[in-house]
Structure formats: structure tokens, C-alpha cells
Amino acid sequence: MTRRTSRETRTVMMLVGVVLTMGALSWAAVPFYNWFCRVTGFGGTTQVATQASDVTLEEVVRVRFDANVDKNLDWTFRPMQTRMDLKIGENGLAFYEAINNSDEIITATASYNVAPEVTGFYFDKIECFCFTEQTLKPGERIEMPVSFYVDPELVNDTDASWIRDITLSYTFHRTEPKQAALDADRVDNVN
């Protein structure tokens, strides 16, 4: 093998390695970004808690509720309360309402965030309809709860300690139902 052929082979192998590396990084970008947002609260991504806070402060935070629907989803979706005043660390329970206005069974998933974005790291959800897909039959109406609290550590963050108004926002998007939901629906229709 000549020196030139050897060099060309190395160059081709390096280029193939670069392409494979770029492909792997592209594939991993979305899961990594989602993980990063969940861990840091980046972009207003809220946290998930397994239990309520054990510390409640006397300071009050106002949580406003917002609801949106993707243009491809024929649902009415709205908060059942527009705001809630809570002590920081106090557990809140809010409800949203969804109505399927179409003549078909529709499955949808809610994306969410809070504003200002810096509060995402301190906004903890214990239970939320946004953790799972929601399937509604034609004309069906449901009330969906979200249990949450604002972490008392908020007052110790120099970038967020002044914030006392937080907006929790959801947007429902149409999704393809999971096979288990389709199977359950078929069983319901047979019975």
C-alpha cells in the first residue's frame, strides 16, 4: 500500500467517524435537552415531586393558570380558576376542564411550562394530567387536577427571590393513542 493510499484511507475513516459522531449527537440531542430542562428548570420546565413540601413560609405567591389548544385539536380546554394565592411551600390543587367538541375519539397530551422561566426549577408538580395522555370520546367533558407547590428555596435564589407571580401554562396537542388505550376502547365498545 502506498503512502498516498494509506493517507486517503485514514482521511476517509476520519470523515466516516465524524459523520457517525454527528449522527449520534443529533439522535441524542432531543432526549438530552429534555433531561437538561427537567433537571435545571430551563425554559420554564417544572419539576416533579413525590410528596408535598414539609416547609411553608408566610410569604405568598400568586399562581395564574393558562390553557391553550393546538389548532389541529377540536377541544375546549380551560382552567377552572384563573389564579390562586398560596403561601410558598403550601400545596395547591387546581383543576382544568377539557371538552372534546368533535365527533371522534381523540387522544392528546399537554405540554407545559411556567413563566418567568427561572421559576421552573422551583415549581414542583406532585400530580398532573400532563404526565399521561388524555383520551376523550365525542362530546366528553372531564375535569383534570394538578397538585403542586412552589419550593421555599425560591426565596434564597438571587435571580428568583423577588418573584411572587407565576403563570402555569398548558397546551394540548393531538397525539396518536398508545396501543393499550386502543385495546381498552375496543373492549368497551364490545361490551
Side-chain angles (χ1 to χ4, degrees):
M1 189 186 263
T2 67
R3 202 179 235 187
R4 181 178 177 167
T5 306
S6 177
R7 205 177 321 152
E8 289 172 354
T9 302
R10 264 187 289 162
T11 302
V12 167
M13 295 305 288
M14 286 179 12
L15 289 174
V16 167
V18 167
V19 168
L20 290 174
T21 300
M22 295 302 284
L25 291 173
S26 295
W27 175 82
V30 171
F32 178 75
Y33 180 76
N34 288 337
W35 169 82
F36 176 78
C37 290
R38 281 193 317 270
V39 169
T40 65
F42 182 77
T45 302
T46 62
Q47 305 301 302
V48 177
T50 56
Q51 62 186 28
S53 174
D54 55 356
V55 175
T56 302
L57 306 178
E58 290 302 314
E59 294 182 61
V60 174
V61 65
R62 173 172 289 151
V63 179
R64 298 175 196 279
F65 302 95
D66 178 52
N68 304 283
V69 178
D70 184 86
K71 65 182 178 184
N72 298 322
L73 183 63
D74 191 14
W75 282 13
T76 300
F77 175 55
R78 62 182 164 239
M80 297 183 71
Q81 62 287 302
T82 57
R83 73 175 208 215
M84 186 180 291
D85 293 339
L86 299 166
K87 292 179 179 178
I88 295 176
E90 178 182 7
N91 196 56
L93 181 61
F95 289 88
Y96 281 76
E97 172 187 53
I99 303 168
N100 181 350
N101 301 314
S102 76
D103 58 356
E104 63 180 315
I105 296 172
I106 298 177
T107 300
T109 304
S111 59
Y112 53 88
N113 69 347
V114 292
E117 291 181 359
V118 69
T119 60
F121 187 72
Y122 301 102
F123 198 96
D124 291 273
K125 292 182 191 172
I126 300 168
E127 182 181 330
C128 183
F129 59 89
C130 60
F131 295 160
T132 59
E133 291 181 334
Q134 304 297 320
T135 301
L136 298 180
K137 296 176 182 172
E140 184 176 5
R141 174 192 173 275
I142 61 170
E143 292 180 9
M144 302 171 293
V146 56
S147 175
F148 65 93
Y149 66 91
V150 176
D151 191 324
E153 285 299 314
L154 171 83
V155 300
N156 298 324
D157 184 324
T158 55
D159 294 327
S161 62
W162 56 273
I163 297 172
R164 294 299 177 266
D165 284 295
I166 299 172
T167 301
L168 174 60
S169 182
Y170 291 97
T171 302
F172 258 109
H173 305 274
R174 187 180 195 128
T175 58
E176 293 301 318
K178 301 271 190 266
Q179 189 60 43
L182 289 172
D183 293 342
D185 185 55
R186 285 190 198 112
V187 169
D188 286 344
N189 289 335
V190 171
N191 293 332

